Short mmCIF file of all heavy atoms in Angstrom, two decimals:
data_model
loop_
_atom_site.label_atom_id
_atom_site.label_comp_id
_atom_site.label_asym_id
_atom_site.label_seq_id
_atom_site.Cartn_x
_atom_site.Cartn_y
_atom_site.Cartn_z
N ALA A 24 -39.14 38.20 26.23
CA ALA A 24 -39.77 38.26 25.01
C ALA A 24 -40.84 39.38 24.87
O ALA A 24 -42.03 39.02 24.62
CB ALA A 24 -40.48 36.90 24.71
N THR A 25 -40.34 40.58 25.05
CA THR A 25 -41.27 41.75 24.84
C THR A 25 -40.36 42.76 24.08
O THR A 25 -39.20 42.77 24.14
CB THR A 25 -41.70 42.45 26.15
OG1 THR A 25 -40.48 42.93 27.00
CG2 THR A 25 -42.43 41.39 27.06
N PRO A 26 -41.05 43.70 23.38
CA PRO A 26 -40.36 44.70 22.62
C PRO A 26 -39.39 45.49 23.53
O PRO A 26 -38.24 45.68 23.18
CB PRO A 26 -41.40 45.57 21.94
CG PRO A 26 -42.59 44.64 21.83
CD PRO A 26 -42.46 43.86 23.13
N SER A 27 -39.85 46.00 24.75
CA SER A 27 -39.06 46.83 25.58
C SER A 27 -37.84 46.10 26.04
O SER A 27 -36.77 46.61 26.14
CB SER A 27 -39.96 47.38 26.78
OG SER A 27 -40.54 46.33 27.42
N ALA A 28 -38.10 44.84 26.64
CA ALA A 28 -36.91 44.14 27.26
C ALA A 28 -35.90 43.74 26.14
O ALA A 28 -34.71 43.82 26.41
CB ALA A 28 -37.53 42.87 27.94
N THR A 29 -36.35 43.35 24.94
CA THR A 29 -35.50 43.05 23.94
C THR A 29 -34.59 44.19 23.48
O THR A 29 -33.36 44.12 23.41
CB THR A 29 -36.26 42.43 22.78
OG1 THR A 29 -36.93 41.22 23.07
CG2 THR A 29 -35.31 42.13 21.58
N LYS A 30 -35.35 45.38 23.26
CA LYS A 30 -34.50 46.62 22.95
C LYS A 30 -33.58 46.96 24.03
O LYS A 30 -32.38 47.40 23.74
CB LYS A 30 -35.46 47.67 22.85
CG LYS A 30 -36.33 47.58 21.50
CD LYS A 30 -37.40 48.77 21.39
CE LYS A 30 -38.23 48.68 20.16
NZ LYS A 30 -39.30 49.70 20.11
N GLU A 31 -33.89 46.72 25.28
CA GLU A 31 -32.94 46.99 26.43
C GLU A 31 -31.76 46.23 26.31
O GLU A 31 -30.63 46.86 26.44
CB GLU A 31 -33.67 46.85 27.80
CG GLU A 31 -32.83 47.24 28.93
CD GLU A 31 -33.58 47.05 30.28
OE1 GLU A 31 -34.83 46.99 30.19
OE2 GLU A 31 -32.88 46.85 31.26
N TYR A 32 -31.89 44.89 26.13
CA TYR A 32 -30.71 44.04 26.13
C TYR A 32 -29.85 44.22 24.89
O TYR A 32 -28.66 44.29 24.94
CB TYR A 32 -31.15 42.46 26.16
CG TYR A 32 -31.51 42.12 27.52
CD1 TYR A 32 -32.87 41.73 27.77
CD2 TYR A 32 -30.66 42.05 28.60
CE1 TYR A 32 -33.33 41.24 29.10
CE2 TYR A 32 -31.03 41.71 29.88
CZ TYR A 32 -32.43 41.19 30.09
OH TYR A 32 -32.72 40.81 31.32
N VAL A 33 -30.50 44.39 23.78
CA VAL A 33 -29.84 44.72 22.55
C VAL A 33 -28.98 45.98 22.55
O VAL A 33 -27.76 46.06 22.25
CB VAL A 33 -30.72 44.83 21.31
CG1 VAL A 33 -30.11 45.38 20.11
CG2 VAL A 33 -31.28 43.38 21.05
N SER A 34 -29.55 47.00 23.22
CA SER A 34 -28.93 48.28 23.40
C SER A 34 -27.81 48.23 24.51
O SER A 34 -26.61 48.63 24.26
CB SER A 34 -29.87 49.38 23.78
OG SER A 34 -29.25 50.59 24.09
N LYS A 35 -28.04 47.52 25.55
CA LYS A 35 -27.13 47.40 26.66
C LYS A 35 -25.83 46.61 26.26
O LYS A 35 -24.65 47.05 26.46
CB LYS A 35 -27.71 46.81 27.81
CG LYS A 35 -26.87 46.63 29.08
CD LYS A 35 -27.59 46.03 30.18
CE LYS A 35 -26.73 45.79 31.42
NZ LYS A 35 -27.45 45.15 32.58
N TYR A 36 -26.01 45.60 25.32
CA TYR A 36 -24.89 44.75 25.06
C TYR A 36 -24.44 44.91 23.63
O TYR A 36 -23.60 44.12 23.10
CB TYR A 36 -25.16 43.23 25.39
CG TYR A 36 -25.31 43.05 26.84
CD1 TYR A 36 -26.58 42.99 27.55
CD2 TYR A 36 -24.22 43.00 27.76
CE1 TYR A 36 -26.76 42.81 28.90
CE2 TYR A 36 -24.21 42.71 29.01
CZ TYR A 36 -25.56 42.72 29.63
OH TYR A 36 -25.63 42.53 31.02
N GLN A 37 -25.09 45.82 22.94
CA GLN A 37 -24.81 46.00 21.41
C GLN A 37 -24.86 44.72 20.70
O GLN A 37 -23.85 44.29 19.95
CB GLN A 37 -23.44 46.67 21.28
CG GLN A 37 -23.30 48.16 21.91
CD GLN A 37 -24.32 49.06 21.05
OE1 GLN A 37 -24.20 49.24 19.91
NE2 GLN A 37 -25.37 49.60 21.81
N CYS A 38 -25.90 43.97 20.84
CA CYS A 38 -26.06 42.59 20.26
C CYS A 38 -27.19 42.62 19.22
O CYS A 38 -28.07 41.81 19.34
CB CYS A 38 -26.17 41.49 21.26
SG CYS A 38 -27.62 41.78 22.35
N MET A 39 -27.15 43.52 18.18
CA MET A 39 -28.11 43.51 17.12
C MET A 39 -28.20 42.09 16.45
O MET A 39 -27.15 41.52 16.36
CB MET A 39 -27.82 44.62 16.15
CG MET A 39 -27.91 45.99 16.67
SD MET A 39 -29.55 46.51 17.14
CE MET A 39 -30.32 46.49 15.58
N ALA A 40 -29.36 41.77 16.11
CA ALA A 40 -29.56 40.44 15.39
C ALA A 40 -28.52 40.36 14.15
O ALA A 40 -28.53 41.37 13.33
CB ALA A 40 -31.03 40.27 14.97
N LYS A 41 -27.85 39.32 14.07
CA LYS A 41 -26.86 39.10 12.96
C LYS A 41 -27.60 38.38 11.84
O LYS A 41 -28.17 37.23 12.02
CB LYS A 41 -25.74 38.27 13.45
CG LYS A 41 -24.63 39.12 14.03
CD LYS A 41 -23.36 38.28 14.19
CE LYS A 41 -22.21 39.11 14.81
NZ LYS A 41 -20.95 38.29 14.96
N LYS A 42 -27.67 38.97 10.69
CA LYS A 42 -28.34 38.33 9.54
C LYS A 42 -27.58 37.02 9.20
O LYS A 42 -28.27 35.96 8.83
CB LYS A 42 -28.23 39.29 8.30
CG LYS A 42 -29.10 38.78 7.13
CD LYS A 42 -29.24 39.87 6.10
CE LYS A 42 -30.08 39.43 4.98
NZ LYS A 42 -30.12 40.44 3.87
N GLY A 43 -26.35 36.88 9.37
CA GLY A 43 -25.49 35.76 8.99
C GLY A 43 -25.90 34.59 9.81
O GLY A 43 -25.70 33.38 9.37
N TYR A 44 -26.34 34.74 11.05
CA TYR A 44 -26.67 33.71 11.91
C TYR A 44 -28.32 33.50 11.77
O TYR A 44 -28.86 32.59 12.56
CB TYR A 44 -26.49 34.03 13.30
CG TYR A 44 -24.92 33.93 13.73
CD1 TYR A 44 -24.49 34.76 14.76
CD2 TYR A 44 -24.07 33.13 13.01
CE1 TYR A 44 -23.11 34.58 15.14
CE2 TYR A 44 -22.76 33.00 13.29
CZ TYR A 44 -22.33 33.81 14.31
OH TYR A 44 -20.91 33.69 14.70
#
Side-chain angles (χ1 to χ4, degrees):
T25 63
S27 58
T29 299
K30 287 176 182 176
E31 181 180 338
Y32 284 115
V33 167
S34 175
K35 182 177 180 180
Y36 294 100
Q37 293 298 296
C38 57
M39 294 295 293
K41 276 191 176 181
K42 188 174 182 180
Y44 287 156

